[in-house]
Amino acid sequence: MHNITIRPAKEEDYEQLLRLYSLFTERDYSGHDNDAFKKVLQSDTSFIFVAEHETMLIGTVLITVRDVIRYARPIAEVDELFVLEAYRKQGVGKQLMHVVEEKTKELNCQRIYLESASDRKAAHAFYEKLGYTNYGFCFKKDL
């Protein structure tokens, strides 16, 4: 396994993060300098972590923490998780998810949610191996 550092994202990571996003986001991504990157970095409820090999970003995860009526403690949602294909199956995704779990425990979250496209069978197996269970469907509507 490579020497990988997991750390919070910083403003200087923007261009490399865009490169990663271009490999996994939907076509309707808002695009360069027309996104919420700086807002997310400054947020008290959203957190971006990156996996770095030497000076190259090879993975990222974004989580959002929020309160919902039905739980006494906040919940977290993994909004995005991505690792470059060349670094998959080497523990990078597991390290990113470990940081997610540590951060959400620190924030006293009750539960972590995540969604994954129905055709991403390898991702589903990865999440299940980490102890996540499939509990339903996700829906979306563009506004």
Side-chain angles (χ1 to χ4, degrees):
M1 175 150 87
H2 305 280
N3 185 22
I4 306 298
T5 302
I6 307 295
R7 61 169 175 79
K10 51 191 176 188
E11 212 166 314
E12 302 83 67
D13 294 327
Y14 183 71
E15 294 298 329
Q16 286 197 65
L17 277 170
L18 279 186
R19 182 180 56 80
L20 291 177
Y21 274 71
S22 73
L23 298 172
F24 80 95
T25 57
E26 297 178 16
R27 285 174 265 144
D28 63 352
Y29 172 63
S30 56
H32 194 280
D33 289 326
N34 187 29
D35 54 38
F37 179 69
K38 289 181 183 176
K39 281 187 198 177
V40 171
L41 281 182
Q42 296 168 3
S43 171
D44 293 334
T45 58
S46 294
F47 306 90
I48 307 172
F49 295 97
V50 295
E52 186 174 46
H53 177 238
E54 297 174 358
T55 60
M56 184 174 82
L57 298 189
I58 60 166
T60 185
V61 65
L62 168 65
I63 60 172
T64 304
V65 175
R66 66 185 184 276
D67 291 308
V68 293
I69 293 171
R70 66 185 181 272
Y71 298 125
R73 298 182 353 231
I75 63 166
E77 183 162 358
V78 176
D79 297 301
E80 294 152 352
L81 172 66
F82 180 76
V83 175
L84 286 175
E85 196 165 339
Y87 292 87
R88 292 181 190 164
K89 299 189 183 206
Q90 297 179 42
V92 178
K94 187 176 181 179
Q95 288 179 58
L96 285 164
M97 290 301 292
H98 177 75
V99 169
V100 164
E101 291 180 10
E102 290 302 308
K103 184 64 175 179
T104 55
K105 286 176 186 175
E106 173 190 320
L107 296 170
N108 196 33
C109 291
Q110 180 161 333
R111 181 172 286 154
I112 300 172
Y113 289 92
L114 58 87
E115 61 183 61
S116 180
S118 58
D119 62 339
R120 301 188 67 124
K121 303 300 182 197
H124 303 166
F126 168 74
Y127 295 129
E128 288 172 350
K129 190 174 180 180
L130 293 178
Y132 291 81
T133 56
N134 183 343
Y135 73 96
F137 298 96
C138 295
F139 298 89
K140 72 177 184 178
K141 180 178 181 179
D142 291 334
L143 302 175

